[in-house]
Amino acid sequence: MNCDAHLLIVDDDERIRELLKKFLMRSGFLVTAARDAQHARRVLSGLDFDLIVLDVMMPGEDGISLTKALRETHTTPILLLTAQGETENRIAGLEAGADDYLAKPFEPKELLLRINAILRRMPEAKPEDTAPKVLHLGDIRYDIERGEMWQGQDLVRLTSTESQLMKIFSAQPNEAVTRAKLVEDLGRDRGQAQERAVDVQITRLRRKIEPNPKQPQYLQTVRGAGYMLAPD
């Protein structure tokens, strides 16, 4: 399904880098590897990727700083590799704009499942044969068919997870969606940690659509029921 997808692996451990590269190439991906953040920036300046697998703990600029910097110009999905038990790093990574994380050590097959889940969530371009349906959120317009968000003439950059959240909410406007259902629809494992991760993604999405993210009027919290999109 994703045989043409091009992945960038960023890890300072050469052994892990080469193992991942070989495994993912055998799984049908095109793979490029970078040894650190600086190397990754050089590669990214000349190539587009479908997904970046990024180690958090690297000498020099770490994975979280690089994620934050990339999010200013790139919407490419980012999967962070974190050391076991570093909850703060995972939350910080999601807040910086990562789409998912995987704790080391991990089974290569689990990495493959995570990568495929993220790539499945990416919006696919569809030919337009009907007038687009548009939701209005103040001065923000969300084109449901195209999965695009606009503020005036400017396209609002959404990460793949934010895109998927908007797709889920716009399919049932003014209806509350539980956190557990959001976790399930995003293709994540169930559990409180993933529900917390969804909360982080909601906070980031609110910063893009709300005049005052601390008092949300469009992406509302419904006490005891989850979250609800309330367009104009």
Side-chain angles (χ1 to χ4, degrees):
M1 177 192 113
N2 293 311
C3 288
D4 294 330
H6 192 177
L7 311 182
L8 175 62
I9 309 290
V10 189
D11 197 308
D12 63 300
D13 185 323
E14 187 179 0
R15 189 182 62 85
I16 291 175
R17 209 166 54 234
E18 287 307 310
L19 281 172
L20 290 182
K21 188 173 179 179
K22 281 179 186 164
F23 172 74
L24 292 168
M25 285 174 80
R26 279 205 308 272
S27 302
F29 294 102
L30 298 169
V31 184
T32 299
R35 63 187 165 272
D36 56 24
Q38 193 178 0
H39 187 195
R41 285 173 184 277
R42 283 203 302 277
V43 173
L44 284 161
S45 68
L47 286 170
D48 285 328
F49 292 90
D50 296 289
L51 185 137
I52 300 167
V53 178
L54 177 57
D55 189 31
V56 168
M57 299 298 286
M58 293 188 293
E61 185 178 11
D62 67 25
I64 291 170
S65 301
L66 181 59
T67 297
K68 201 174 285 185
L70 290 177
R71 275 293 166 255
E72 292 175 14
T73 51
H74 291 68
T75 56
T76 311
I78 296 173
L79 172 63
L80 289 179
L81 302 179
T82 67
Q84 191 76 44
E86 289 179 347
T87 312
E88 302 82 7
N89 272 351
R90 294 176 208 169
I91 296 302
L94 291 167
E95 285 175 337
D99 294 87
D100 203 355
Y101 60 79
L102 186 57
K104 289 179 171 183
F106 54 82
E107 290 292 326
K109 193 170 179 189
E110 185 180 2
L111 175 67
L112 187 60
L113 290 171
R114 295 291 183 99
I115 287 171
N116 282 324
I118 293 173
L119 291 175
R120 275 199 304 274
R121 299 204 300 264
M122 287 301 288
E124 288 175 28
K126 295 180 195 149
E128 290 303 307
D129 51 6
T130 56
K133 286 176 69 182
V134 177
L135 292 179
H136 292 273
L137 313 162
D139 60 353
I140 299 275
R141 299 187 316 284
Y142 178 69
D143 184 327
I144 296 171
E145 297 289 324
R146 293 175 182 271
E148 290 177 350
M149 188 178 284
W150 294 83
Q151 185 161 25
Q153 298 301 307
D154 298 324
L155 184 65
V156 178
R157 289 177 178 274
L158 296 176
T159 65
S160 66
T161 305
E162 290 163 357
S163 264
Q164 187 68 4
L165 284 171
M166 282 304 298
K167 205 178 277 186
I168 295 164
F169 286 124
S170 60
Q172 42 196 330
N174 299 307
E175 284 182 39
V177 185
T178 66
R179 293 157 88 213
K181 180 81 169 77
L182 289 172
V183 168
E184 189 182 324
D185 286 354
L186 288 171
R188 306 281 176 84
D189 303 325
R190 293 182 184 183
Q192 280 195 321
Q194 289 291 3
E195 290 191 11
R196 169 75 181 109
V198 165
D199 292 340
V200 173
Q201 301 286 1
I202 293 282
T203 301
R204 294 190 73 253
L205 185 53
R206 279 175 172 161
R207 285 185 207 138
K208 296 184 180 180
I209 64 176
E210 298 285 357
N212 179 0
K214 293 192 173 162
Q215 294 185 314
Q217 62 187 96
Y218 298 114
L219 189 44
Q220 300 174 2
T221 302
V222 182
R223 193 179 291 279
Y227 296 105
M228 177 180 83
L229 188 69
D232 292 332

